[in-house]
């Protein structure tokens, strides 16, 4: 005789596990959401002007400046809150453009091997260009480009790696039966890319977006440290590190705080992208 008494228990266990996964995902998303929201809203909630001195140069933290003063006596906390918006927006733009372009080029390369070989050869050439050298070349050839020149450099430098990854992920999808059936049915290339290949690369593209965001933060911060892009007296995390490094022993917060938020931003967004990626691995099945 068959018994169904255990079914409600299994359903309850399944719902409990699903709830636990949801809570774990939200916890991994929370740091990224908090940091991004603070960076975007920072200029509006900064307690002091980011250009006017409020204390002595490299003053220690006090009631008038919770994180002390920078090299000109400006409030470190106010400049920290105001200095992340452009970095976050630039990194998001770079990550979106690079991930989207790499996804399309990789899918086209997988569906059309001849075009794929051309894309791979171009990517191999661009990979040889060091990041700092690429930033300097674009900045020197476009002196008035500012942050837009940095964004362009980051896109050019990040695209070859991303195309390689996307093409490798799209190759097995392009050889599946449903894609070949759609191609044999006369579907156009863009339909195959958008409807057949890209939806099956969601996990890879989310992971790629996280990696590209981290790389974009690194490139934009490096450019800011080299004073390519934003210029003093702009409030920028990378500029804060460069400007205040001589007073590290006097007020370490002027250097440690922007360094910490850059690292936390990159790490939290990468974790958030990994949490949003669907789990595609095989699940163990228990036979009773």
């Amino acid at each position: 005789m068959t018994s169904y008494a255990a079914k409600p228990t299994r359903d309850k266990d399944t719902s409990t596990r699903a709830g636990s996964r949801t809570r774990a995902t939200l916890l991994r998303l929370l740091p990224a959401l908090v940091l991004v929201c603070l960076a975007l809203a920072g200029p509006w909630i900064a307690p002091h002007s980011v250009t006017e001195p409020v204390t002595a140069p490299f003053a220690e933290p006090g009631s008038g400046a919770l994180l002390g003063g920078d090299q000109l006596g400006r409030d470190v906390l106010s400049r920290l809150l105001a200095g992340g918006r452009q970095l976050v927006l630039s990194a998001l733009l770079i990550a979106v453009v690079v991930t989207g372009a790499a996804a399309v080029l990789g899918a086209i390369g997988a569906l059309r091997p001849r075009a794929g070989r051309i894309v791979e050869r171009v990517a191999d050439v661009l990979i040889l260009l060091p990041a700092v050298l690429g930033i300097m070349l674009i900045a020197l050839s476009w002196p008035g480009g500012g942050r837009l020149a940095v964004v362009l450099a980051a896109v050019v430098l990040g695209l070859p790696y991303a195309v390689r990854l996307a093409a490798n992920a799209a190759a097995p999808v392009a050889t599946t039966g449903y894609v070949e059936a759609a191609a044999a049915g006369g579907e156009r290339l863009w339909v195959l890319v958008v409807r057949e290949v890209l939806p099956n690369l969601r996990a890879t593209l989310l992971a790629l977006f996280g990696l590209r965001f981290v790389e974009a933060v690194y490139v934009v911060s490096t450019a800011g440290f080299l004073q390519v892009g934003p210029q003093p007296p702009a409030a920028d995390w990378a500029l804060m590190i460069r400007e205040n490094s001589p007073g590290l022993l006097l007020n370490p917060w002027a250097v440690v705080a922007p360094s910490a938020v850059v690292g936390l931003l990159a790490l939290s967004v990468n974790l958030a992208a990994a949490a949003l990626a669907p789990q595609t691995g095989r699940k163990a099945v228990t036979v009773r």
Side-chain angles (χ1 to χ4, degrees):
M1 183 175 63
T2 304
S3 174
Y4 298 95
K7 185 175 181 180
T9 302
R10 289 198 296 270
D11 291 342
K12 184 178 180 180
D13 292 341
T14 301
S15 62
T16 301
R17 288 194 296 268
S20 299
R21 286 195 297 268
T22 301
R23 287 191 294 271
T25 300
L26 291 176
L27 287 176
R28 296 178 69 178
L29 290 175
L30 185 59
L33 292 175
V34 170
L35 283 174
V36 170
C37 290
L38 279 176
L40 296 178
W44 295 314
I45 62 177
H48 299 286
S49 170
V50 297
T51 58
E52 297 297 329
V54 297
T55 184
F58 294 122
E60 296 182 353
S63 57
L66 294 180
L67 294 180
D70 66 356
Q71 86 280 13
L72 296 178
R74 297 168 297 191
D75 181 31
V76 171
L77 177 60
S78 297
R79 292 181 63 80
L80 185 70
L81 290 172
R85 176 190 286 178
Q86 294 301 321
L87 174 62
V88 169
L89 292 177
S90 299
L92 285 174
L93 176 62
I94 294 166
V96 169
V97 171
V98 170
T99 303
V104 173
L105 291 174
I108 292 175
L111 292 168
R112 299 290 187 269
R114 183 176 298 178
R117 286 191 291 270
I118 296 174
V119 170
E120 288 182 359
R121 297 293 84 78
V122 174
D124 290 342
V125 173
L126 292 177
I127 285 174
L128 299 176
L129 183 65
V132 175
L133 179 59
I135 293 172
M136 299 303 296
L137 285 175
I138 293 180
L140 291 175
S141 61
W142 189 8
R147 194 175 290 273
L148 185 59
V150 176
V151 170
L152 178 60
V155 170
V156 172
L157 294 170
L159 194 55
Y161 300 93
V163 168
R164 275 287 193 177
L165 187 77
N168 290 335
V173 178
T175 58
T176 54
Y178 62 87
V179 175
E180 292 179 348
E187 293 288 1
R188 296 182 180 180
L189 178 61
W190 69 269
V191 175
L192 296 175
V193 171
V194 175
R195 294 180 56 184
E196 305 295 345
V197 177
L198 293 186
N200 293 283
L201 300 180
R202 187 158 63 96
T204 300
L205 295 181
L206 281 171
L208 179 60
F209 174 83
L211 292 174
R212 289 303 97 199
F213 184 89
V214 173
E215 177 67 15
V217 169
Y218 161 72
V219 172
V220 175
S221 299
T222 301
F225 188 82
L226 297 174
Q227 291 189 356
V228 177
Q231 300 293 322
D236 183 86
W237 289 342
L239 276 179
M240 291 177 65
I241 298 171
R242 177 187 176 93
E243 292 173 345
N244 298 313
S245 56
L248 179 62
L249 297 180
L250 298 174
N251 182 20
W253 288 108
V255 176
V256 172
S259 302
V261 293
V262 169
L264 289 174
L265 176 66
L267 178 62
S268 62
V269 172
N270 203 9
L271 290 176
L276 291 174
Q279 302 298 319
T280 57
R282 293 184 178 180
K283 297 181 180 179
V285 178
T286 303
V287 180
R288 296 179 180 274

